[in-house]
Amino acid sequence: MTWLLWRQHRVQGAISGALMGALSILLVITGLHMAGTYRTAMAACRADGTCGNLSLFQGDGAIINLVSLTIVAPLLLGVFWAAPLIGREFETGMHTLVWTQSVSRRHWLRSKLLLLIGATISCSAVLTIVVTWWAGTFNSLNGDRFQPARFEIQGIVPIAYSVFAVSLAVAAGALFRRMLPALAVTVFGFAAVRILIDNYARPHYLHPLTNSLRLDQGGSIGSGAWVTKEDLTLNGVSVTGAIRAPAGCLSMTSRATMNSCMSDNGFRRLTTYQPANRYWTFQFIESGIFIALAALLIVACVVIVRRRDA
Amino acid sequence: MIAPSRPGETMAITTTQLGKRYGTTGNSKAKWALRECTLDVPEGRICGLVGANGAGKTTLLKLLVGLARPSSGSVRVLGQPSDTPAFLRDVGYLAQEVPLYRRWTAADHLSLGANLNGVWDGEAARERLQSLDIPLDQRVGTMSGGQRAQVALALALGKRPRLLLLDEPVAALDPLARREFLASLGAAVAESEGGLTVILSSHLVSDLERICDYLVVLAESRNLLSGDLDGVLASHRLLTSARRDIGSIEHQHTVLRVEHTPRQTSVWVRLEGTLHDPSWQSEEMSLEDIVLAYLARRPVQAADAPAAIGGVR
């Protein structure tokens, strides 16, 4: 089986390796450059107090876009590696050739799946390590790591997304035995699950913390926290609709004194948030969900291939 | 009587009431692709599997090689049930579509055989292809249909099978390529000195007549006839006489087809013993006529076919 896997997938492997290598080199070069520029700029702007607007290097917009685009890497692995792995064998009838050599169907399937999952984990691990390292400078410059465009391409979740995407694609290939429907299910299925989890599951992994502050006080929830909601409350009750400021406060001349006055009359700002130190907990929970879904799909794939007639 | 086999022969294949239904159980649309198929093929034979399109030939071969699982009945291949993967070592199979990796060379396919089989005779496979002037380093996608079929045959024979199952391998080939393919097959059988059993499905009876010594006829998903080719030829007759009632013939023998003209009665018949009535003029039937007589039987008559088979075996 090793020979067959090598012969069938060596071109895919070489192309993927070359792309990964090129991307890694690009990110390492720009990452080092960015870190250097950042250090120099911070030193300079601290001296003259102009740290508001840092441009890190020429053309950084393209590199930032490229890094953001790694959000589709799991889908690419699903489409180019996993869907054809079994789906194309069925579509071209090649499974009947391989299944009538002396290797059992079970052994064939196990070898293919091990290669797929192994290559997927390696590839996405390299990618996420490089991206997370590259984004280190960027993160320290711009706020929280829970933002969708960062949470989903850094840390360990990209590996879990990739394992899920390839499991979905390989199971779809086994079920439909044709490439086109398998690809459609992979793309739409992956997108649907990701969007549902992003919007409806992730904010609820852990019960959020709340912080009620006077309007004239600064935030004290710590930097890097994920603010999910901000409310204005009056005596502990959320204010909806038009705000009716106390008559005495309306005559205040500055915003600061007005805030102070409002706070004296019972107005508070209620922040609902996930603190920054929950970042890795969230990464693990989200990864666990996707790995569990992937495991179900792999089991389904094995059952379909072993039960169904050729 | 047609003797299904010579005494003392061991069976390469035995099926008992074998059936295959596609679609889920209990679904009214589920269709039997093969039903109540009971047959034996002795070792060392070249068995032709004949039947119209959709008669169940492909299904039977897939059941024999374990690519499909029976819905009913059982299969034994080379003495082993076909749900144990171990028997695969001894079975070569060539599917109807002649599946090969189009971008691979012939040599790549032989490497596949060498790597996926414990027993592998690569030298013989290479010699086989070289003797046919098939370039080993050419991509099979650029080869002719005949050459591809030869590569697939070499791959199937490379594992030194004791049973070779070929599903319409010559159907898509031109007459010359077809003859070459059958010649290769004949040579392989001769080399094996009785150690190789072949089952070859086709709807080209003339090809089968040239190479086979055993025959199985399938129609309407059922097995209508199986037996030694000489026996089959010896036991089928076209009887003609002046117009008359055929009751006495029907009583003793199996009537496949009757035609009455105002003056003459013709009966295509399988003899189940000696023909006593000398008033019938008896003619031998060609294999083609025999097969056609079975395939053309009315569905009403086909329904009682299993009983007729009981008489054959």
Side-chain angles (χ1 to χ4, degrees):
Chain A
M1 269 314 291
T2 318
W3 180 87
L4 180 67
L5 294 178
W6 157 247
R7 180 66 188 80
Q8 273 195 293
H9 305 297
R10 61 187 186 186
V11 176
Q12 275 178 323
I15 292 173
S16 313
L19 285 176
M20 286 294 300
L23 185 65
S24 302
I25 290 170
L26 183 66
L27 290 191
V28 166
I29 292 172
T30 57
L32 288 173
H33 180 75
M34 182 161 66
T37 316
Y38 178 67
R39 273 195 305 275
T40 331
M42 285 305 279
C45 76
R46 273 205 206 95
D48 57 15
T50 54
C51 288
N53 201 359
L54 278 181
S55 173
L56 289 175
F57 54 89
Q58 290 298 313
D60 59 357
I63 301 294
I64 291 166
N65 286 347
L66 186 65
V67 168
S68 304
L69 273 179
T70 61
I71 202 162
V72 299
L75 209 44
L76 296 181
L77 295 182
V79 166
F80 288 105
W81 281 6
L85 185 77
I86 290 183
R88 194 190 289 144
E89 298 289 295
F90 281 125
E91 188 166 76
T92 54
M94 292 309 301
H95 63 296
T96 60
L97 177 80
V98 179
W99 290 2
T100 52
Q101 305 301 311
S102 307
V103 169
S104 70
R105 216 186 267 206
R106 185 183 192 161
H107 180 62
W108 172 83
L109 183 62
R110 193 175 52 212
S111 310
K112 287 228 161 201
L113 291 179
L114 281 176
L115 173 73
L116 177 69
I117 302 292
T120 299
I121 291 177
S122 320
C123 185
S124 55
V126 169
L127 188 64
T128 186
I129 287 169
V130 173
V131 167
T132 306
W133 170 82
W134 183 92
T137 309
F138 205 69
N139 290 342
S140 53
L141 203 60
N142 301 291
D144 79 88
R145 289 185 293 168
F146 286 100
Q147 288 173 29
R150 297 195 199 165
F151 185 84
E152 294 162 7
I153 59 172
Q154 298 179 23
I156 56 169
V157 291
I159 303 176
Y161 294 159
S162 298
V163 171
F164 168 72
V166 298
S167 304
L168 178 63
V170 80
L175 180 65
F176 296 110
R177 299 188 163 200
R178 287 191 298 123
M179 291 291 294
L180 209 55
L183 292 177
V185 166
T186 304
V187 172
F188 292 109
F190 180 76
V193 172
R194 278 290 317 280
I195 288 168
L196 288 175
I197 300 255
D198 280 10
N199 288 289
Y200 300 107
R202 194 183 300 150
H204 309 294
Y205 289 160
L206 292 175
H207 203 273
L209 302 184
T210 52
N211 196 357
S212 188
L213 286 174
R214 288 173 59 89
L215 304 185
D216 53 355
Q217 277 180 329
S220 66
I221 56 171
S223 71
W226 178 23
V227 176
T228 50
K229 211 163 74 161
E230 279 200 304
D231 286 323
L232 187 68
T233 60
L234 176 57
N235 300 325
V237 180
S238 186
V239 178
T240 51
I243 298 164
R244 306 179 65 161
C249 297
L250 286 173
S251 58
M252 296 295 172
T253 49
S254 77
R255 186 171 185 82
T257 48
M258 178 159 171
N259 278 345
S260 178
C261 170
M262 297 272 283
S263 301
D264 291 339
N265 283 283
F267 282 96
R268 293 288 182 276
R269 189 173 63 230
L270 182 71
T271 309
T272 309
Y273 68 105
Q274 302 284 357
N277 64 9
R278 287 184 177 177
Y279 176 75
W280 283 105
T281 312
F282 271 58
Q283 284 266 329
F284 277 109
I285 293 172
E286 180 130 337
S287 301
I289 290 171
F290 278 91
I291 294 292
L293 290 174
L296 289 178
L297 288 164
I298 290 293
V299 169
C301 174
V302 170
V303 169
I304 291 167
V305 171
R306 292 190 54 193
R307 293 271 173 86
R308 258 171 65 173
D309 294 324
Chain B
M1 290 289 288
I2 303 168
S5 59
R6 301 174 189 122
E9 276 183 318
T10 48
M11 296 301 154
I13 285 169
T14 305
T15 71
T16 311
Q17 291 290 308
L18 182 63
K20 179 67 191 177
R21 186 165 58 177
Y22 288 106
T24 45
T25 322
N27 180 348
S28 59
K29 283 186 200 151
K31 186 178 174 300
W32 287 95
L34 187 73
R35 62 199 308 178
E36 295 162 20
C37 175
T38 298
L39 63 88
D40 296 316
V41 178
E43 275 186 7
R45 298 300 191 92
I46 304 184
C47 170
L49 180 58
V50 207
N53 294 333
K57 301 189 294 288
T58 297
T59 301
L60 175 60
L61 291 175
K62 282 189 169 176
L63 288 166
L64 291 176
V65 75
L67 286 175
R69 291 178 184 77
S71 308
S72 64
S74 66
V75 188
R76 288 185 79 79
V77 176
L78 301 168
Q80 304 180 67
S82 65
D83 52 8
T84 56
F87 87 103
L88 271 176
R89 269 195 306 253
D90 295 322
V91 182
Y93 172 75
L94 177 49
Q96 199 164 4
E97 308 80 28
V98 192
L100 293 172
Y101 291 106
R102 300 184 64 83
R103 301 175 66 83
W104 290 23
T105 63
D108 285 333
H109 285 89
L110 297 186
S111 299
L112 177 145
N115 281 285
L116 295 188
N117 293 290
V119 177
W120 179 253
D121 192 344
E123 196 54 41
R126 264 190 300 280
E127 276 170 22
R128 188 182 305 282
L129 293 180
Q130 274 159 356
S131 71
L132 292 160
D133 289 328
I134 293 174
L136 289 175
D137 54 358
Q138 188 185 335
R139 287 183 174 186
V140 298
T142 63
M143 289 182 179
S144 70
Q147 288 178 317
R148 274 205 293 275
Q150 292 282 7
V151 172
L153 179 64
L155 182 55
L157 285 169
K159 68 199 270 198
R160 292 200 162 282
R162 288 165 58 205
L163 174 65
L164 182 60
L165 303 169
L166 305 171
D167 192 359
E168 305 233 14
V170 296
L173 303 184
D174 64 66
L176 184 63
R178 201 155 74 209
R179 197 169 67 190
E180 282 176 352
F181 184 92
L182 294 174
S184 295
L185 181 60
V189 171
E191 279 166 30
S192 76
E193 294 170 346
L196 176 62
T197 309
V198 179
I199 299 190
L200 172 68
S201 84
S202 179
H203 47 245
L204 298 164
V205 179
S206 54
D207 283 338
L208 298 179
E209 198 163 13
R210 192 154 39 182
I211 192 171
C212 296
D213 57 10
Y214 203 87
L215 187 72
V216 172
V217 179
L218 292 181
E220 315 243 333
S221 310
R222 290 164 194 267
N223 169 23
L224 298 186
L225 173 71
S226 67
D228 191 90
L229 192 64
D230 293 337
V232 168
L233 287 170
S235 63
H236 287 81
R237 286 289 184 275
L238 167 58
L239 306 177
T240 47
S241 116
R243 188 179 170 110
R244 61 190 281 191
D245 178 58
I246 61 161
S248 64
I249 297 284
E250 267 183 328
H251 183 67
Q252 200 192 346
H253 307 290
T254 306
V255 172
L256 303 176
R257 183 176 162 210
V258 187
E259 238 178 57
H260 295 290
T261 62
R263 309 180 57 180
Q264 185 178 286
T265 296
S266 308
V267 190
W268 286 261
V269 69
R270 181 168 74 223
L271 301 177
E272 313 289 1
T274 34
L275 181 69
H276 296 296
D277 189 343
S279 64
W280 288 96
Q281 194 188 338
S282 168
E283 258 180 75
E284 286 193 358
M285 288 170 72
S286 72
L287 188 61
E288 184 118 34
D289 289 341
I290 296 173
V291 168
L292 284 175
Y294 279 97
L295 300 190
R297 287 177 94 186
R298 294 274 167 275
V300 194
Q301 286 167 308
D304 66 12
I309 292 303
V312 178
R313 293 189 67 234

